[in-house]
Amino acid sequence: MRAFTYQRVAATAEATAALARIPGAKLLAGGTNLLDLMKLEIEAPTHLIDIRDLDLARIEDTAAGGLRIGALVSNTDLASDARIKRHYPVISRAIVSGATGQLRNKASTAGNLLQRNRCPYFYDTDQPCNKRLPGSGCSAIDGASRGLAVIGTSSACIATYPGDLAVALRLLDAEIETVDAAGRTRTLPIADFHRLPGDTPQIETALQPSELITAVILPPPLGGRHFYLKVRDRASYAFALVSVAAVLHPDRTGRIAFGGVAPKPWRVEQAEAALQDSAEAVVSIAFDGATPTEQNAFKVPLAARALASVIARARESSDAV
């Protein structure tokens, strides 16, 4: 790990000012992703801004009937909140499916959204990687790609967004609230928050250099049956090969989002109309234009089977009522 300076702040203005003033500065909350990357010298911030004392750890009702989740709410507190479990259970199920209890205790809501995309070559500093060193090449395209993205990729990068929470938030059409060093606030749809790699895979989100996430805004509850199915190589503590987040209604309408298949949570709203037909029809539309490698082409039919399993569970639940 390379040398860095450290600062613990007590106000968002102090944090964003330091971000704007100090080249190479990074925010530190739970540190569950950043510190690992620092140890591997993939991330080498010159300055760490510890934001754990900011007043961003509350979950509050909104006037619109939804919830405002502070950026520093831990994954454990979010998953166990009674309002989340009652009205947005897909969030609880997504969080509990990932990581360990210890990591969920430390990981923050905003930090979870900002975890870096996964690829074995991104983590191997002896291999070329456009995400680490733009212009150096993508080792994964002709290398080990079994767990990597099949859609939304580019010739520069096929890394996969690894998280679970963001897939559930994309399903719900959550919004991301931010503030910058000038005190300007904005609200981004989560659909626009994570970026596809294009020719700049090192830029993974729409955040500007001095912006800090202050909250995630949930819309009013959708109702319906909530599901989160995560298919992985081992039963726990593994990233998804494919995950499916779903809200399904008895009339066979609903919403679907996929994880483990793209550089960002993957939802194609037009595909949801095909729920009236079959899981295969939904996946055919949602994965139109997919460019899998030989090693990960199995993810497309796996997504269809995972979605079919979720739909079958929803029907069984309806029949039992």
Side-chain angles (χ1 to χ4, degrees):
M1 188 181 291
R2 300 180 188 179
F4 57 89
T5 53
Y6 171 86
Q7 163 187 17
R8 192 158 182 167
V9 297
T12 55
E14 189 180 359
T16 54
L19 272 179
R21 184 179 71 253
I22 305 170
K26 292 276 187 179
L27 299 173
L28 175 68
T32 57
N33 188 211
L34 177 60
L35 294 181
D36 283 345
L37 294 172
M38 289 174 65
K39 292 173 185 176
L40 295 169
E41 296 193 358
I42 295 167
E43 292 271 15
T46 60
H47 184 71
L48 286 185
I49 306 161
D50 191 331
I51 61 173
R52 286 176 292 174
D53 293 337
L54 302 187
D55 184 20
L56 299 175
R58 291 180 288 174
I59 303 174
E60 302 167 301
D61 298 325
T62 67
L67 291 175
R68 182 181 187 273
I69 303 163
L72 294 179
V73 172
S74 74
N75 283 186
T76 295
D77 288 345
L78 180 57
S80 61
D81 185 88
R83 293 162 292 183
I84 294 292
K85 292 171 73 173
R86 183 181 307 114
H87 298 300
Y88 308 94
V90 67
I91 290 178
S92 294
R93 291 166 186 165
I95 290 172
V96 171
S97 76
T100 64
Q102 294 93 328
L103 285 173
R104 293 195 295 268
N105 288 343
K106 293 292 292 181
S108 67
T109 296
N112 194 295
L113 297 179
L114 291 170
Q115 61 186 303
R116 299 297 305 272
N117 283 2
R118 290 275 166 170
C119 173
Y121 300 100
F122 174 60
Y123 277 79
D124 184 350
T125 55
D126 290 328
Q127 300 295 326
C129 172
N130 288 319
K131 192 177 292 295
R132 274 189 287 102
L133 183 62
S136 63
C138 176
S139 299
I141 289 176
D142 295 317
S145 58
R146 182 173 181 275
L148 301 182
V150 299
I151 194 163
T153 60
S154 73
S155 60
C157 183
I158 61 172
T160 314
Y161 179 78
D164 298 292
L165 171 59
V167 180
L169 295 178
R170 177 66 183 92
L171 180 80
L172 298 170
D173 280 334
E175 295 181 318
I176 313 299
E177 181 185 281
T178 71
V179 64
D180 68 10
R184 294 181 295 252
T185 62
R186 64 171 177 152
T187 303
L188 289 165
I190 194 167
D192 299 333
F193 181 74
H194 295 100
R195 290 168 45 113
L196 296 179
D199 58 3
T200 56
Q202 73 277 15
I203 304 173
E204 294 177 350
T205 74
L207 284 181
Q208 297 301 308
S210 73
E211 270 188 307
L212 177 150
I213 297 174
T214 52
V216 172
I217 311 300
L218 296 181
L222 295 174
R225 302 279 300 178
H226 289 217
F227 299 88
Y228 192 81
L229 175 62
K230 184 173 183 177
V231 183
R232 44 193 164 178
D233 280 327
R234 60 180 188 266
S236 61
Y237 311 149
F239 294 107
L241 291 171
V242 170
S243 63
V244 178
V247 171
L248 299 174
H249 301 280
D251 62 358
R252 297 180 66 180
T253 62
R255 296 184 182 186
I256 304 294
F258 296 94
V261 297
K264 61 187 289 184
W266 196 253
R267 181 179 172 211
V268 177
E269 283 85 341
Q270 301 94 304
E272 292 161 0
L275 281 167
Q276 301 287 339
D277 301 319
S278 66
E280 291 77 9
V282 173
V283 168
S284 177
I285 299 169
F287 287 75
D288 183 42
T291 55
T293 68
E294 183 178 346
Q295 293 179 23
N296 66 18
F298 71 91
K299 286 194 174 190
V300 178
L302 180 60
R305 291 197 295 272
L307 177 56
S309 177
V310 168
I311 293 171
R313 291 184 193 181
R315 290 174 181 164
E316 289 169 5
S317 299
S318 298
D319 291 344
V321 174

